[in-house]
Amino acid sequence: MEIVIAPSILAADLLHLGDQLRAAEEGGADWIHIDVMDGHFVPNISFGVPVVQAVRSGTKLPLDVHLMISNPEQYISKFREVGADIITIHQEATPHLHRLLSLIKELGALAGVSLNPSTPVQTLTEVIDIVDLILIMTVNPGWGGQRFIEPSIRKIEQCRRLVNEVGRNIYIEVDGGIDNTTAARVLAAGANVLVAGTSVFGSKDVKQAIQKLRDVQK
Ligand code: DX5
Ligand code: ZN
């Protein structure tokens, strides 16, 4: 199975973001993961539209934008305009999931939906025909560097079963506490996109860290 590695710039050296993006690209990263936090949906604040725009000018890789924000309907078009290729909203952040996923697709991006650790996979059965990516949070969203939540493994397996049942090509992405050890386990459970912040940008050698993550599959 082809795996996608998406380093999260939340853990990057922001003063040297251009260099960090280049290192990720040279190390073989597939996507760049950008965590947008609003201090409302999650208790932390991180990046907004201008940062996504800056990253767009610093890499050719697809931008995987993870919106941990309330009222995502107000911002989806703006993030698309500045170059987001994949836009993921949280299931818990909107009562109009179907409409917003459809909007993301109409704007020409891949439409992702993310689940907090306490939100069951079954909440996605009614959007499974339109969603392009399911992001299973393997920590509670808000910060990098947290410990992987164990029952996530069972949840990834459930998600893989659901995706295989519908027979569509849907990415299963995991985010939070992904390192060489947990990566092997989430891949075995059925994930195929690894988001990694601390284990990539927290490492002395970003290129090597990405290569090692890819090698866990072998
Ligand atoms: C957490 C973010 C993650 C974060 C992961 O709310 O969604 O993308 O960057 O960080 P690590 O890999 O350090 O757990
Ligand atoms: Zn994220």
Side-chain angles (χ1 to χ4, degrees):
M1 184 173 57
E2 194 72 13
I3 68 161
V4 172
I5 298 185
S8 162
I9 60 161
L10 193 63
D13 174 357
L14 296 179
L15 194 55
H16 303 102
L17 188 52
D19 296 338
Q20 298 262 276
L21 291 171
R22 262 187 299 282
E25 209 162 324
E26 285 167 16
D30 300 291
W31 300 348
I32 297 296
H33 185 84
I34 308 178
D35 289 302
V36 176
M37 304 182 188
D38 66 351
H40 185 266
F41 179 72
V42 286
N44 198 10
I45 299 179
S46 60
F47 312 128
V49 172
V51 171
V52 174
Q53 190 167 21
V55 174
R56 179 69 293 160
S57 67
T59 182
K60 290 196 176 63
L61 295 177
L63 302 187
D64 175 32
V65 177
H66 177 193
L67 298 181
M68 285 164 274
I69 63 174
S70 303
N71 306 315
E73 66 280 0
Q74 290 183 21
Y75 303 98
I76 287 169
S77 306
K78 291 194 181 77
F79 283 107
R80 177 62 185 149
E81 272 165 34
V82 296
D85 299 285
I86 302 139
I87 300 179
T88 297
I89 55 176
H90 267 262
Q91 188 275 355
E92 306 84 3
T94 175
H96 300 295
L97 195 53
H98 190 282
R99 176 153 60 79
L100 297 191
L101 292 172
S102 305
L103 170 66
I104 295 170
K105 287 164 81 84
E106 274 162 31
L107 295 172
L110 292 185
V113 58
S114 182
L115 299 178
N116 282 337
S118 59
T119 307
V121 169
Q122 288 73 15
T123 56
L124 299 183
T125 52
E126 304 307 322
V127 293
I128 202 72
D129 292 325
I130 57 166
V131 74
D132 297 308
L133 176 149
I134 298 171
L135 169 48
I136 308 278
M137 286 307 302
T138 46
V139 298
N140 283 296
W143 286 273
Q146 303 181 76
R147 237 175 89 181
F148 183 84
I149 295 176
E150 275 303 318
S152 309
I153 294 288
R154 205 180 52 225
K155 207 166 151 185
I156 296 161
E157 290 168 351
Q158 284 172 2
C159 188
R160 172 49 65 195
R161 277 198 292 277
L162 176 65
V163 166
N164 287 353
E165 266 167 36
V166 306
R168 291 184 61 236
N169 226 344
I170 300 172
Y171 291 106
I172 301 181
E173 182 174 45
V174 288
D175 186 4
I178 301 299
D179 57 21
N180 294 341
T181 310
T182 51
R185 300 178 58 217
V186 294
L187 292 173
N192 58 0
V193 183
L194 304 177
V195 175
T198 309
S199 69
V200 167
F201 288 114
S203 135
K204 278 200 196 82
D205 189 337
V206 168
K207 292 184 211 173
Q208 200 186 56
I210 294 169
Q211 282 151 12
K212 278 194 178 155
L213 266 182
R214 199 179 293 285
D215 284 347
V216 302
Q217 207 194 11
K218 290 176 188 156

